[in-house]
Amino acid sequence: MDQHFDLLLRGGRVIDPASGRDGVFDVAVKGGRIAAVEANLPTEAARETLDVSGKIVTAGMIDTHAHVYQHVTGRFGLAADMVGVGSAVTTVVDQGGPSCMTIPGFRHYVAKPARTRVLCFISAYLVGGLEGHLYPELYGPKQVDVAATIKSARDNADLVRGIKAHAEIGGASRWGLEVIKLGREIARGAGIPLYIHLGQLWPVAESAVVDADEVVRELLPIMQPGDVLAHPFTRHPGGFISGETGEVHPLVWHALDRGVAIDVGHGSHFSFAMARKVLAAGIRPTTLGADMHGYNVRVPDAADGAARASNPFFGVAPFSLTHAMTELLTLGMTLPEIVATVTSNPARMLGLSDEIGALLPGRVADVSVLEMLRGRFQLSDNSGEKVEASELIVPCFALRAGEMCALDSPLVPAPLRVAA
Ligand SMILES: [Zn+2]
């Protein structure tokens, strides 16, 4: 028989929210594209067949919140392929690393050499996202050039899919929400979404008193349909849960009704207690976003333990995108809902639904293969809460444009089993 597929992934559970598929199917790849997704494709039709029965097969996972401007963003930036294909994640979106001045370096030294598809939300600030928490003065409205950033976003439209800025009490204590308004202007000029970090990042200016609830109240009316609120589950003040009432800010509902999206932006922000409250209120994140960086994950050979430990975003609980998926599962979201947060939903946010985020013939053959382990596993967050899980989602490997990418990232945490 004429061998007309390069590769066949045989017998896995295909979960593809974009097409509504959830069942056992074979996925065939040819010339770097998905060629067919059908039950019982003939193995003799493929040059190579991989048995993935018992595994979960999804469109290539998209991490909407990464920090991969390595060597430029101080100790912050991780190697793109460690966060990406080495962790079975085929697309990573750097959140606010490169700026209008430093985007050429990002393209040349990070995006181009990576096997992972690397995109970014460009920083609203001229300096970009350096070691963000250290130098608040670099992040004021005077350090923003609206026209230059619009031009840069337009000139680099293949890489730049949004704008990153911060709404938090440290910045608000100095400049109010002036930077956010400039960020919105850039987003409008460039025709891309604005992505807003919620929760404290910089220390509050001396002698200033800022109400975190007030920052959220002022911010939400600025947000437009398609814009993104990040870190809704933050353990820092200024997330979705009001410090005054302990409930979801009423204005959050209005924003969501208007089509504002939510990115989990896990990082060291993630708190089970906050997540439980937000989910119990009926709110679901649009995208997941792992938000891993040099301070909240353990990178091998990093000789800066003391610097890490003195950082407010220091993390003690290892995590990765799939680990964050497990946490959402434990909190009661369904597996197809969770898969949507790392495939079809982010593809839409990036304006790339025609290329990635779906297992449909003709799309790029970016594919993630995962496994569900069953047993008793220990999860924990950075506020110290421990939660036991009966299922753990772990990555196996990825295809990036049809090419096999082994799982070789040291950032994927080993399963932590609870002793029987
Ligand atoms: Zn981040």
mmCIF file of all heavy atoms in Angstrom, residues 67-119:
data_model
loop_
_atom_site.group_PDB
_atom_site.id
_atom_site.type_symbol
_atom_site.label_atom_id
_atom_site.label_comp_id
_atom_site.label_asym_id
_atom_site.label_seq_id
_atom_site.Cartn_x
_atom_site.Cartn_y
_atom_site.Cartn_z
ATOM 1 N N HIS A 67 8.509 33.153 30.723
ATOM 2 C CA HIS A 67 9.589 34.146 30.819
ATOM 3 C C HIS A 67 10.839 33.489 30.257
ATOM 4 O O HIS A 67 11.520 32.735 30.939
ATOM 5 C CB HIS A 67 9.780 34.595 32.265
ATOM 6 C CG HIS A 67 8.604 35.373 32.774
ATOM 7 N ND1 HIS A 67 8.340 36.658 32.373
ATOM 8 C CD2 HIS A 67 7.584 35.017 33.591
ATOM 9 C CE1 HIS A 67 7.225 37.085 32.943
ATOM 10 N NE2 HIS A 67 6.744 36.102 33.690
ATOM 11 N N VAL A 68 11.103 33.753 28.976
ATOM 12 C CA VAL A 68 12.168 33.028 28.281
ATOM 13 C C VAL A 68 13.172 33.966 27.597
ATOM 14 O O VAL A 68 13.911 33.529 26.725
ATOM 15 C CB VAL A 68 11.582 32.032 27.250
ATOM 16 C CG1 VAL A 68 10.770 30.958 27.957
ATOM 17 C CG2 VAL A 68 10.719 32.733 26.205
ATOM 18 N N TYR A 69 13.193 35.262 28.024
ATOM 19 C CA TYR A 69 14.211 36.138 27.434
ATOM 20 C C TYR A 69 15.499 35.907 28.221
ATOM 21 O O TYR A 69 15.958 36.752 28.984
ATOM 22 C CB TYR A 69 13.767 37.599 27.459
ATOM 23 C CG TYR A 69 14.443 38.460 26.402
ATOM 24 C CD1 TYR A 69 14.001 39.755 26.139
ATOM 25 C CD2 TYR A 69 15.530 37.988 25.667
ATOM 26 C CE1 TYR A 69 14.601 40.545 25.178
ATOM 27 C CE2 TYR A 69 16.134 38.763 24.701
ATOM 28 C CZ TYR A 69 15.671 40.038 24.459
ATOM 29 O OH TYR A 69 16.285 40.821 23.511
ATOM 30 N N GLN A 70 16.061 34.737 27.990
ATOM 31 C CA GLN A 70 17.218 34.278 28.760
ATOM 32 C C GLN A 70 18.429 35.174 28.497
ATOM 33 O O GLN A 70 18.618 35.640 27.386
ATOM 34 C CB GLN A 70 17.542 32.834 28.357
ATOM 35 C CG GLN A 70 18.383 32.098 29.374
ATOM 36 C CD GLN A 70 18.777 30.701 28.898
ATOM 37 O OE1 GLN A 70 18.702 30.399 27.716
ATOM 38 N NE2 GLN A 70 19.207 29.874 29.814
ATOM 39 N N HIS A 71 19.230 35.403 29.517
ATOM 40 C CA HIS A 71 20.465 36.191 29.481
ATOM 41 C C HIS A 71 20.213 37.695 29.386
ATOM 42 O O HIS A 71 21.144 38.478 29.491
ATOM 43 C CB HIS A 71 21.393 35.776 28.327
ATOM 44 C CG HIS A 71 21.668 34.306 28.285
ATOM 45 N ND1 HIS A 71 22.190 33.617 29.366
ATOM 46 C CD2 HIS A 71 21.465 33.397 27.316
ATOM 47 C CE1 HIS A 71 22.299 32.344 29.049
ATOM 48 N NE2 HIS A 71 21.860 32.176 27.814
ATOM 49 N N VAL A 72 18.974 38.107 29.188
ATOM 50 C CA VAL A 72 18.691 39.541 29.094
ATOM 51 C C VAL A 72 17.873 40.005 30.298
ATOM 52 O O VAL A 72 18.079 41.090 30.808
ATOM 53 C CB VAL A 72 17.963 39.877 27.778
ATOM 54 C CG1 VAL A 72 17.423 41.309 27.786
ATOM 55 C CG2 VAL A 72 18.923 39.696 26.608
ATOM 56 N N THR A 73 16.979 39.144 30.774
ATOM 57 C CA THR A 73 16.112 39.534 31.885
ATOM 58 C C THR A 73 16.691 39.041 33.220
ATOM 59 O O THR A 73 15.980 38.528 34.069
ATOM 60 C CB THR A 73 14.693 38.978 31.678
ATOM 61 O OG1 THR A 73 14.787 37.578 31.409
ATOM 62 C CG2 THR A 73 14.022 39.645 30.511
ATOM 63 N N GLY A 74 18.001 39.251 33.384
ATOM 64 C CA GLY A 74 18.646 38.872 34.634
ATOM 65 C C GLY A 74 18.454 37.405 34.933
ATOM 66 O O GLY A 74 18.550 36.560 34.055
ATOM 67 N N ARG A 75 18.128 37.099 36.166
ATOM 68 C CA ARG A 75 17.962 35.685 36.565
ATOM 69 C C ARG A 75 16.560 35.178 36.275
ATOM 70 O O ARG A 75 16.197 34.084 36.645
ATOM 71 C CB ARG A 75 18.270 35.552 38.064
ATOM 72 C CG ARG A 75 19.731 35.695 38.370
ATOM 73 C CD ARG A 75 19.970 36.138 39.801
ATOM 74 N NE ARG A 75 19.599 37.538 39.975
ATOM 75 C CZ ARG A 75 19.872 38.258 41.066
ATOM 76 N NH1 ARG A 75 20.510 37.697 42.075
ATOM 77 N NH2 ARG A 75 19.507 39.510 41.161
ATOM 78 N N PHE A 76 15.779 36.041 35.622
ATOM 79 C CA PHE A 76 14.372 35.755 35.391
ATOM 80 C C PHE A 76 14.143 34.751 34.256
ATOM 81 O O PHE A 76 13.333 33.840 34.362
ATOM 82 C CB PHE A 76 13.703 37.083 35.037
ATOM 83 C CG PHE A 76 12.336 37.250 35.604
ATOM 84 C CD1 PHE A 76 12.122 37.178 36.969
ATOM 85 C CD2 PHE A 76 11.268 37.510 34.772
ATOM 86 C CE1 PHE A 76 10.856 37.358 37.496
ATOM 87 C CE2 PHE A 76 10.005 37.694 35.288
ATOM 88 C CZ PHE A 76 9.803 37.619 36.645
ATOM 89 N N GLY A 77 14.845 34.952 33.140
ATOM 90 C CA GLY A 77 14.529 34.234 31.915
ATOM 91 C C GLY A 77 15.045 32.807 31.911
ATOM 92 O O GLY A 77 16.192 32.532 32.230
ATOM 93 N N LEU A 78 14.172 31.882 31.514
ATOM 94 C CA LEU A 78 14.532 30.465 31.398
ATOM 95 C C LEU A 78 14.792 30.132 29.933
ATOM 96 O O LEU A 78 14.386 30.884 29.038
ATOM 97 C CB LEU A 78 13.384 29.597 31.915
ATOM 98 C CG LEU A 78 12.977 29.802 33.371
ATOM 99 C CD1 LEU A 78 11.664 29.065 33.660
ATOM 100 C CD2 LEU A 78 14.075 29.316 34.309
ATOM 101 N N ALA A 79 15.432 28.994 29.685
ATOM 102 C CA ALA A 79 15.652 28.543 28.312
ATOM 103 C C ALA A 79 14.305 28.184 27.695
ATOM 104 O O ALA A 79 13.521 27.431 28.285
ATOM 105 C CB ALA A 79 16.582 27.344 28.303
ATOM 106 N N ALA A 80 14.038 28.710 26.503
ATOM 107 C CA ALA A 80 12.713 28.532 25.876
ATOM 108 C C ALA A 80 12.345 27.056 25.719
ATOM 109 O O ALA A 80 11.210 26.661 25.983
ATOM 110 C CB ALA A 80 12.671 29.242 24.535
ATOM 111 N N ASP A 81 13.296 26.233 25.303
ATOM 112 C CA ASP A 81 12.946 24.830 25.052
ATOM 113 C C ASP A 81 12.772 24.014 26.341
ATOM 114 O O ASP A 81 12.176 22.936 26.314
ATOM 115 C CB ASP A 81 13.984 24.176 24.131
ATOM 116 C CG ASP A 81 13.834 24.664 22.691
ATOM 117 O OD1 ASP A 81 12.743 25.168 22.347
ATOM 118 O OD2 ASP A 81 14.807 24.551 21.927
ATOM 119 N N MET A 82 13.292 24.522 27.456
ATOM 120 C CA MET A 82 13.039 23.852 28.743
ATOM 121 C C MET A 82 11.574 24.026 29.130
ATOM 122 O O MET A 82 10.911 23.087 29.569
ATOM 123 C CB MET A 82 13.884 24.517 29.845
ATOM 124 C CG MET A 82 15.065 23.737 30.309
ATOM 125 S SD MET A 82 15.697 24.536 31.812
ATOM 126 C CE MET A 82 17.412 24.120 31.641
ATOM 127 N N VAL A 83 11.084 25.262 28.961
ATOM 128 C CA VAL A 83 9.684 25.566 29.268
ATOM 129 C C VAL A 83 8.794 25.008 28.156
ATOM 130 O O VAL A 83 7.654 24.632 28.392
ATOM 131 C CB VAL A 83 9.488 27.101 29.362
ATOM 132 C CG1 VAL A 83 8.058 27.445 29.776
ATOM 133 C CG2 VAL A 83 10.472 27.712 30.337
ATOM 134 N N GLY A 84 9.361 24.932 26.954
ATOM 135 C CA GLY A 84 8.608 24.539 25.768
ATOM 136 C C GLY A 84 8.673 23.059 25.471
ATOM 137 O O GLY A 84 8.240 22.233 26.292
ATOM 138 N N VAL A 85 9.203 22.721 24.293
ATOM 139 C CA VAL A 85 9.083 21.342 23.811
ATOM 140 C C VAL A 85 9.664 20.300 24.771
ATOM 141 O O VAL A 85 9.177 19.174 24.825
ATOM 142 C CB VAL A 85 9.703 21.164 22.398
ATOM 143 C CG1 VAL A 85 8.852 21.868 21.359
ATOM 144 C CG2 VAL A 85 11.150 21.637 22.351
ATOM 145 N N GLY A 86 10.683 20.679 25.553
ATOM 146 C CA GLY A 86 11.261 19.739 26.526
ATOM 147 C C GLY A 86 10.284 19.379 27.632
ATOM 148 O O GLY A 86 10.477 18.420 28.375
ATOM 149 N N SER A 87 9.211 20.178 27.757
ATOM 150 C CA SER A 87 8.137 19.904 28.724
ATOM 151 C C SER A 87 6.846 19.513 28.012
ATOM 152 O O SER A 87 5.769 19.568 28.606
ATOM 153 C CB SER A 87 7.875 21.142 29.589
ATOM 154 O OG SER A 87 9.027 21.560 30.268
ATOM 155 N N ALA A 88 6.945 19.168 26.720
ATOM 156 C CA ALA A 88 5.786 18.793 25.884
ATOM 157 C C ALA A 88 4.850 19.974 25.610
ATOM 158 O O ALA A 88 3.675 19.800 25.336
ATOM 159 C CB ALA A 88 5.017 17.605 26.459
ATOM 160 N N VAL A 89 5.404 21.182 25.690
ATOM 161 C CA VAL A 89 4.656 22.403 25.382
ATOM 162 C C VAL A 89 5.204 22.938 24.056
ATOM 163 O O VAL A 89 6.403 23.178 23.947
ATOM 164 C CB VAL A 89 4.842 23.456 26.497
ATOM 165 C CG1 VAL A 89 4.227 24.794 26.123
ATOM 166 C CG2 VAL A 89 4.268 22.935 27.811
ATOM 167 N N THR A 90 4.368 23.113 23.047
ATOM 168 C CA THR A 90 4.900 23.436 21.717
ATOM 169 C C THR A 90 4.961 24.935 21.418
ATOM 170 O O THR A 90 5.671 25.351 20.533
ATOM 171 C CB THR A 90 4.076 22.734 20.622
ATOM 172 O OG1 THR A 90 2.703 23.072 20.803
ATOM 173 C CG2 THR A 90 4.249 21.225 20.689
ATOM 174 N N THR A 91 4.185 25.738 22.162
ATOM 175 C CA THR A 91 4.223 27.194 21.970
ATOM 176 C C THR A 91 4.350 27.866 23.332
ATOM 177 O O THR A 91 3.610 27.534 24.257
ATOM 178 C CB THR A 91 2.923 27.700 21.290
ATOM 179 O OG1 THR A 91 2.823 27.110 19.991
ATOM 180 C CG2 THR A 91 2.921 29.217 21.146
ATOM 181 N N VAL A 92 5.295 28.817 23.442
ATOM 182 C CA VAL A 92 5.372 29.610 24.672
ATOM 183 C C VAL A 92 5.249 31.091 24.314
ATOM 184 O O VAL A 92 5.733 31.532 23.285
ATOM 185 C CB VAL A 92 6.668 29.368 25.481
ATOM 186 C CG1 VAL A 92 6.796 27.913 25.888
ATOM 187 C CG2 VAL A 92 7.905 29.820 24.735
ATOM 188 N N VAL A 93 4.570 31.813 25.187
ATOM 189 C CA VAL A 93 4.360 33.243 24.984
ATOM 190 C C VAL A 93 5.077 33.979 26.105
ATOM 191 O O VAL A 93 4.657 33.920 27.258
ATOM 192 C CB VAL A 93 2.849 33.590 25.017
ATOM 193 C CG1 VAL A 93 2.647 35.075 24.713
ATOM 194 C CG2 VAL A 93 2.071 32.715 24.044
ATOM 195 N N ASP A 94 6.172 34.656 25.766
ATOM 196 C CA ASP A 94 6.882 35.415 26.790
ATOM 197 C C ASP A 94 6.014 36.607 27.185
ATOM 198 O O ASP A 94 5.567 37.376 26.342
ATOM 199 C CB ASP A 94 8.229 35.905 26.255
ATOM 200 C CG ASP A 94 9.074 36.526 27.352
ATOM 201 O OD1 ASP A 94 8.780 37.676 27.757
ATOM 202 O OD2 ASP A 94 9.997 35.862 27.828
ATOM 203 N N GLN A 95 5.759 36.765 28.484
ATOM 204 C CA GLN A 95 4.907 37.863 28.950
ATOM 205 C C GLN A 95 5.749 39.050 29.366
ATOM 206 O O GLN A 95 6.218 39.152 30.493
ATOM 207 C CB GLN A 95 4.008 37.407 30.102
ATOM 208 C CG GLN A 95 2.739 36.709 29.657
ATOM 209 C CD GLN A 95 1.864 37.573 28.741
ATOM 210 O OE1 GLN A 95 1.939 38.806 28.744
ATOM 211 N NE2 GLN A 95 1.026 36.923 27.944
ATOM 212 N N GLY A 96 5.935 39.963 28.418
ATOM 213 C CA GLY A 96 6.520 41.259 28.760
ATOM 214 C C GLY A 96 8.012 41.263 28.935
ATOM 215 O O GLY A 96 8.548 42.190 29.555
ATOM 216 N N GLY A 97 8.740 40.289 28.420
ATOM 217 C CA GLY A 97 10.202 40.330 28.462
ATOM 218 C C GLY A 97 10.736 41.376 27.488
ATOM 219 O O GLY A 97 11.292 42.401 27.883
ATOM 220 N N PRO A 98 10.526 41.177 26.186
ATOM 221 C CA PRO A 98 11.060 42.115 25.214
ATOM 222 C C PRO A 98 10.265 43.414 25.140
ATOM 223 O O PRO A 98 9.061 43.439 25.400
ATOM 224 C CB PRO A 98 10.961 41.358 23.892
ATOM 225 C CG PRO A 98 9.935 40.310 24.099
ATOM 226 C CD PRO A 98 9.930 39.983 25.558
ATOM 227 N N SER A 99 10.938 44.498 24.784
ATOM 228 C CA SER A 99 10.304 45.811 24.611
ATOM 229 C C SER A 99 10.516 46.265 23.178
ATOM 230 O O SER A 99 11.157 45.572 22.382
ATOM 231 C CB SER A 99 10.968 46.821 25.545
ATOM 232 O OG SER A 99 12.272 47.110 25.059
ATOM 233 N N CYS A 100 10.030 47.470 22.864
ATOM 234 C CA CYS A 100 10.236 47.988 21.505
ATOM 235 C C CYS A 100 11.720 48.116 21.192
ATOM 236 O O CYS A 100 12.113 48.031 20.037
ATOM 237 C CB CYS A 100 9.515 49.331 21.335
ATOM 238 S SG CYS A 100 10.091 50.617 22.441
ATOM 239 N N MET A 101 12.560 48.288 22.227
ATOM 240 C CA MET A 101 14.000 48.410 21.978
ATOM 241 C C MET A 101 14.684 47.057 21.853
ATOM 242 O O MET A 101 15.663 46.919 21.143
ATOM 243 C CB MET A 101 14.666 49.197 23.117
ATOM 244 C CG MET A 101 14.269 50.645 23.155
ATOM 245 S SD MET A 101 15.388 51.626 24.159
ATOM 246 C CE MET A 101 15.132 50.943 25.778
ATOM 247 N N THR A 102 14.176 46.059 22.592
ATOM 248 C CA THR A 102 14.934 44.796 22.680
ATOM 249 C C THR A 102 14.294 43.639 21.919
ATOM 250 O O THR A 102 14.793 42.519 21.987
ATOM 251 C CB THR A 102 15.125 44.386 24.158
ATOM 252 O OG1 THR A 102 13.845 44.124 24.738
ATOM 253 C CG2 THR A 102 15.829 45.472 24.953
ATOM 254 N N ILE A 103 13.220 43.921 21.163
ATOM 255 C CA ILE A 103 12.568 42.833 20.426
ATOM 256 C C ILE A 103 13.485 42.219 19.352
ATOM 257 O O ILE A 103 13.435 41.000 19.136
ATOM 258 C CB ILE A 103 11.194 43.287 19.846
ATOM 259 C CG1 ILE A 103 10.426 42.112 19.231
ATOM 260 C CG2 ILE A 103 11.316 44.371 18.798
ATOM 261 C CD1 ILE A 103 9.585 41.354 20.167
ATOM 262 N N PRO A 104 14.380 43.002 18.695
ATOM 263 C CA PRO A 104 15.250 42.339 17.708
ATOM 264 C C PRO A 104 16.131 41.263 18.347
ATOM 265 O O PRO A 104 16.351 40.208 17.753
ATOM 266 C CB PRO A 104 16.090 43.486 17.145
ATOM 267 C CG PRO A 104 15.262 44.715 17.365
ATOM 268 C CD PRO A 104 14.560 44.469 18.682
ATOM 269 N N GLY A 105 16.617 41.516 19.569
ATOM 270 C CA GLY A 105 17.428 40.518 20.276
ATOM 271 C C GLY A 105 16.603 39.294 20.624
ATOM 272 O O GLY A 105 17.073 38.163 20.546
ATOM 273 N N PHE A 106 15.351 39.524 20.996
ATOM 274 C CA PHE A 106 14.457 38.412 21.340
ATOM 275 C C PHE A 106 14.237 37.529 20.115
ATOM 276 O O PHE A 106 14.287 36.304 20.196
ATOM 277 C CB PHE A 106 13.130 38.981 21.846
ATOM 278 C CG PHE A 106 12.165 37.937 22.337
ATOM 279 C CD1 PHE A 106 12.342 37.326 23.575
ATOM 280 C CD2 PHE A 106 11.076 37.562 21.570
ATOM 281 C CE1 PHE A 106 11.451 36.364 24.034
ATOM 282 C CE2 PHE A 106 10.180 36.604 22.015
ATOM 283 C CZ PHE A 106 10.373 36.001 23.252
ATOM 284 N N ARG A 107 14.026 38.179 18.975
ATOM 285 C CA ARG A 107 13.821 37.410 17.749
ATOM 286 C C ARG A 107 15.073 36.590 17.409
ATOM 287 O O ARG A 107 14.995 35.390 17.159
ATOM 288 C CB ARG A 107 13.504 38.354 16.578
ATOM 289 C CG ARG A 107 13.364 37.639 15.235
ATOM 290 C CD ARG A 107 13.180 38.613 14.090
ATOM 291 N NE ARG A 107 11.931 39.346 14.148
ATOM 292 C CZ ARG A 107 10.727 38.841 13.810
ATOM 293 N NH1 ARG A 107 10.630 37.603 13.395
ATOM 294 N NH2 ARG A 107 9.645 39.574 13.905
ATOM 295 N N HIS A 108 16.228 37.274 17.436
ATOM 296 C CA HIS A 108 17.460 36.659 16.951
ATOM 297 C C HIS A 108 17.992 35.572 17.899
ATOM 298 O O HIS A 108 18.394 34.500 17.454
ATOM 299 C CB HIS A 108 18.513 37.748 16.762
ATOM 300 C CG HIS A 108 19.752 37.271 16.083
ATOM 301 N ND1 HIS A 108 19.809 37.065 14.715
ATOM 302 C CD2 HIS A 108 20.971 36.929 16.566
ATOM 303 C CE1 HIS A 108 21.007 36.623 14.397
ATOM 304 N NE2 HIS A 108 21.736 36.532 15.503
ATOM 305 N N TYR A 109 18.000 35.876 19.187
ATOM 306 C CA TYR A 109 18.672 34.972 20.135
ATOM 307 C C TYR A 109 17.737 33.994 20.840
ATOM 308 O O TYR A 109 18.194 33.028 21.433
ATOM 309 C CB TYR A 109 19.426 35.787 21.191
ATOM 310 C CG TYR A 109 20.572 36.568 20.611
ATOM 311 C CD1 TYR A 109 20.510 37.958 20.500
ATOM 312 C CD2 TYR A 109 21.715 35.918 20.148
ATOM 313 C CE1 TYR A 109 21.557 38.674 19.952
ATOM 314 C CE2 TYR A 109 22.768 36.624 19.601
ATOM 315 C CZ TYR A 109 22.683 38.005 19.502
ATOM 316 O OH TYR A 109 23.720 38.705 18.949
ATOM 317 N N VAL A 110 16.439 34.283 20.835
ATOM 318 C CA VAL A 110 15.517 33.399 21.563
ATOM 319 C C VAL A 110 14.546 32.702 20.610
ATOM 320 O O VAL A 110 14.527 31.472 20.515
ATOM 321 C CB VAL A 110 14.724 34.189 22.646
ATOM 322 C CG1 VAL A 110 13.697 33.294 23.326
ATOM 323 C CG2 VAL A 110 15.684 34.771 23.677
ATOM 324 N N ALA A 111 13.751 33.484 19.887
ATOM 325 C CA ALA A 111 12.684 32.880 19.079
ATOM 326 C C ALA A 111 13.244 32.043 17.933
ATOM 327 O O ALA A 111 12.792 30.925 17.691
ATOM 328 C CB ALA A 111 11.757 33.976 18.551
ATOM 329 N N LYS A 112 14.257 32.596 17.244
ATOM 330 C CA LYS A 112 14.761 31.924 16.046
ATOM 331 C C LYS A 112 15.426 30.580 16.357
ATOM 332 O O LYS A 112 15.111 29.573 15.710
ATOM 333 C CB LYS A 112 15.743 32.856 15.328
ATOM 334 C CG LYS A 112 15.599 32.840 13.829
ATOM 335 C CD LYS A 112 16.369 34.011 13.245
ATOM 336 C CE LYS A 112 16.842 33.674 11.837
ATOM 337 N NZ LYS A 112 17.797 34.697 11.359
ATOM 338 N N PRO A 113 16.361 30.521 17.312
ATOM 339 C CA PRO A 113 17.018 29.228 17.544
ATOM 340 C C PRO A 113 16.165 28.184 18.266
ATOM 341 O O PRO A 113 16.516 27.003 18.266
ATOM 342 C CB PRO A 113 18.237 29.592 18.412
ATOM 343 C CG PRO A 113 17.955 30.934 18.967
ATOM 344 C CD PRO A 113 16.986 31.612 18.068
ATOM 345 N N ALA A 114 15.043 28.584 18.872
ATOM 346 C CA ALA A 114 14.261 27.623 19.675
ATOM 347 C C ALA A 114 13.538 26.628 18.767
ATOM 348 O O ALA A 114 13.088 26.964 17.681
ATOM 349 C CB ALA A 114 13.248 28.375 20.531
ATOM 350 N N ARG A 115 13.430 25.396 19.243
ATOM 351 C CA ARG A 115 12.579 24.414 18.546
ATOM 352 C C ARG A 115 11.113 24.724 18.837
ATOM 353 O O ARG A 115 10.236 24.444 18.041
ATOM 354 C CB ARG A 115 12.877 22.986 19.042
ATOM 355 C CG ARG A 115 14.188 22.420 18.529
ATOM 356 C CD ARG A 115 14.257 20.922 18.846
ATOM 357 N NE ARG A 115 13.523 20.136 17.861
ATOM 358 C CZ ARG A 115 13.315 18.820 17.969
ATOM 359 N NH1 ARG A 115 13.744 18.166 19.045
ATOM 360 N NH2 ARG A 115 12.659 18.170 17.034
ATOM 361 N N THR A 116 10.889 25.270 20.025
ATOM 362 C CA THR A 116 9.547 25.669 20.448
ATOM 363 C C THR A 116 9.103 26.884 19.631
ATOM 364 O O THR A 116 9.922 27.720 19.286
ATOM 365 C CB THR A 116 9.598 26.067 21.944
ATOM 366 O OG1 THR A 116 10.263 25.026 22.665
ATOM 367 C CG2 THR A 116 8.223 26.320 22.518
ATOM 368 N N ARG A 117 7.805 26.971 19.341
ATOM 369 C CA ARG A 117 7.296 28.213 18.751
ATOM 370 C C ARG A 117 7.285 29.261 19.865
ATOM 371 O O ARG A 117 6.635 29.069 20.899
ATOM 372 C CB ARG A 117 5.868 27.978 18.239
ATOM 373 C CG ARG A 117 5.203 29.207 17.613
ATOM 374 C CD ARG A 117 3.691 29.025 17.499
ATOM 375 N NE ARG A 117 3.357 27.789 16.822
ATOM 376 C CZ ARG A 117 3.195 27.676 15.507
ATOM 377 N NH1 ARG A 117 3.314 28.722 14.743
ATOM 378 N NH2 ARG A 117 2.889 26.512 14.974
ATOM 379 N N VAL A 118 8.037 30.346 19.677
ATOM 380 C CA VAL A 118 8.147 31.366 20.720
ATOM 381 C C VAL A 118 7.507 32.662 20.233
ATOM 382 O O VAL A 118 7.863 33.191 19.187
ATOM 383 C CB VAL A 118 9.623 31.626 21.092
ATOM 384 C CG1 VAL A 118 9.722 32.752 22.119
ATOM 385 C CG2 VAL A 118 10.275 30.358 21.627
ATOM 386 N N LEU A 119 6.526 33.141 21.004
ATOM 387 C CA LEU A 119 5.844 34.401 20.712
ATOM 388 C C LEU A 119 5.989 35.308 21.928
ATOM 389 O O LEU A 119 6.585 34.905 22.929
ATOM 390 C CB LEU A 119 4.360 34.128 20.430
ATOM 391 C CG LEU A 119 4.074 33.109 19.323
ATOM 392 C CD1 LEU A 119 2.604 32.722 19.328
ATOM 393 C CD2 LEU A 119 4.485 33.662 17.965
#
